[in-house]
Amino acid sequence: MSDFAKTKAMFHIPEDMIYLDGNSLGAMPWATAVKVERTITDEWGDMLITGWNKAGWMAKPTDIGDRIGRLIGAEKGSVVMGDTLSIKVYQAVASALEMNPGRKVVLSDNGNFPTDLYMADGLCKTMGADYEVRTVNPEAVEAALSEDIAVLMLTEIDYRTGRKHDMKALTEKAQALGIITIWDLAHSAGALPVDLAGCNADFAVGCTYKYLNSGPGGPAFIYVAPRHQDVARPALSGWLGHDAPFAFDLDYRPGAGIERMRVGTPPILQLAALEASMDIWDQVDIHDIRKASIALCEQFIAGVEESCPTLKLASPRNADDRGSQVSFAHPEGYAIMQAMIARNVIGDFRAPDIIRFGFTPLYIDESDVTQAVSILKDVMENDLWDQPEYKIRNRVT
């Protein structure tokens, strides 16, 4: 049984703060600063360039990839770290389209995170006017699957509402029609159990700065099913994805397996920060995380609906249909969230009217939820949000 009182003590949460935004940027483990400092001083400082060999820097993208793979049900040797999520989306879509010649449609839903749609659309425009990104409502995805679609690209958990797609069912239906699947796990990895191998997924991508706590700008990951690894051609042919990067050949030759999805030099300091978090993740069971997350979300929903009747639940009511966040809608959502932040309850806002709260059992417990509900009740009952300073939009919402 996972000990969440123990893990909570491992995170730096400012005194008197209730941090309900780990679904956007995870909290920092206390060990992160020590780990990064040692990487800077003992490795970069003392070893200099020899750190690539002596400290094992070059192997970190796949070593850490396997550690994340445990949380997302991936086969060993099928996940590699590096670059940003946008880059990994581009890689996956480009490879999937090339693997499905004769089809030129990428299907997604209009609740997908915009950058996924932007990257796919940009790639389609590069490839030619006959390629397209087609979007439908989330609940209409299954009915929209057809034999003219090359790629199904979905984010498993909707970033606004927390709505959860059925990965196994949609993957099976898509593949029966000859469609290659790509799953974005940005709001899944570390939030709930994922079974990429069991679902027979083709590709998956995700970031690590949310539930996996790697820090702002933390590296992304890409999963390629073992059956595709020596077939999928990396459109971004970076030197570290070459079969022999230090041979410095002028012609690109893709590396074996997941290594070919590497692009540029790995971000060693950010990977060190991620390692500190993964040391905590190695002590917990993702199924325990899910059970605790559901309990916290249910407690929050019940409390808010009882005390704040003007807030409308925007997340699915059934816990099995949502991730580890709860969203409520209100026309003054932005101001409400600013009033909450001013009172040290940190969530965030997503246009046009969504206030989001993330529940990360590694460092959030029942007492935090009780306090957050009490403060939100005060903000709503007394119209504390109705102040000019709370309606000025910041660059980051």
Side-chain angles (χ1 to χ4, degrees), residues 289-323:
I289 288 281
R290 179 61 169 165
K291 182 178 179 181
S293 162
I294 289 174
L296 294 172
C297 290
E298 292 290 290
Q299 178 190 350
F300 186 74
I301 291 171
V304 173
E305 290 195 321
E306 180 181 356
S307 58
C308 308
T310 60
L311 294 178
K312 180 182 178 182
L313 182 66
S315 298
R317 187 166 296 281
N318 185 343
D320 292 336
D321 295 332
R322 64 173 185 263

Side-chain angles (χ1 to χ4, degrees), residues 163-283:
R163 181 189 189 277
K164 181 177 179 292
H165 277 301
D166 187 333
M167 180 186 293
K168 187 173 181 62
L170 288 174
T171 297
E172 183 177 345
K173 176 72 180 294
Q175 290 174 343
L177 294 168
I179 301 168
I180 295 175
T181 60
I182 301 171
W183 289 95
D184 184 335
L185 306 179
H187 289 270
S188 304
L192 73 169
V194 179
D195 187 10
L196 292 175
C199 291
N200 201 41
D202 297 300
F203 293 87
V205 296
C207 58
T208 61
Y209 50 80
K210 300 181 190 297
Y211 295 98
L212 300 182
N213 312 295
S214 67
F221 62 84
I222 186 169
Y223 163 86
V224 182
R227 64 186 179 278
H228 297 319
Q229 287 180 9
D230 291 325
V231 177
R233 188 185 71 84
L236 298 173
S237 305
W239 76 296
L240 286 183
H242 192 284
D243 183 52
F246 287 91
F248 300 109
D249 293 336
L250 297 183
D251 295 322
Y252 183 80
R253 184 173 70 252
I258 196 64
E259 288 280 336
R260 66 177 53 196
M261 289 299 173
R262 295 176 66 159
V263 182
T265 305
I268 296 303
L269 299 183
Q270 287 277 189
L271 287 171
L274 177 57
E275 282 184 300
S277 177
M278 295 311 298
D279 289 344
I280 299 174
W281 276 105
D282 287 345
Q283 301 177 44

Side-chain angles (χ1 to χ4, degrees), residues 47-218:
M47 298 179 189
L48 290 166
I49 200 168
T50 66
W52 288 107
N53 292 317
K54 290 181 180 178
W57 290 347
M58 193 58 76
K60 286 192 182 294
T62 47
D63 289 349
I64 298 175
D66 280 337
R67 295 177 76 178
I68 288 176
R70 180 182 73 86
L71 299 178
I72 58 175
E75 303 91 335
K76 186 176 176 59
S78 61
V79 178
V80 69
M81 310 299 304
D83 319 301
T84 67
L85 179 53
S86 297
I87 295 298
K88 293 309 178 195
V89 168
Y90 190 97
Q91 281 186 288
V93 176
S95 294
L97 280 173
E98 188 171 299
M99 289 166 57
N100 216 350
R103 300 190 186 191
K104 299 181 179 182
V105 177
V106 177
L107 178 67
S108 190
D109 71 67
N110 53 27
N112 204 346
F113 192 69
T115 197
D116 291 30
L117 301 177
Y118 299 161
M119 296 304 288
D121 184 62
L123 174 61
C124 286
K125 284 182 167 63
T126 298
M127 295 183 70
D130 47 350
Y131 284 84
E132 68 168 297
V133 175
R134 185 180 301 166
T135 59
V136 297
N137 292 332
E139 61 275 11
V141 168
E142 183 174 356
L145 296 173
S146 64
E147 292 183 350
D148 71 323
I149 294 167
V151 178
L152 174 64
M153 177 187 71
L154 295 172
T155 297
E156 185 184 21
I157 306 297
D158 186 295
Y159 77 103
R160 283 196 185 98
T161 67
R163 181 189 189 277
K164 181 177 179 292
H165 277 301
D166 187 333
M167 180 186 293
K168 187 173 181 62
L170 288 174
T171 297
E172 183 177 345
K173 176 72 180 294
Q175 290 174 343
L177 294 168
I179 301 168
I180 295 175
T181 60
I182 301 171
W183 289 95
D184 184 335
L185 306 179
H187 289 270
S188 304
L192 73 169
V194 179
D195 187 10
L196 292 175
C199 291
N200 201 41
D202 297 300
F203 293 87
V205 296
C207 58
T208 61
Y209 50 80
K210 300 181 190 297
Y211 295 98
L212 300 182
N213 312 295
S214 67

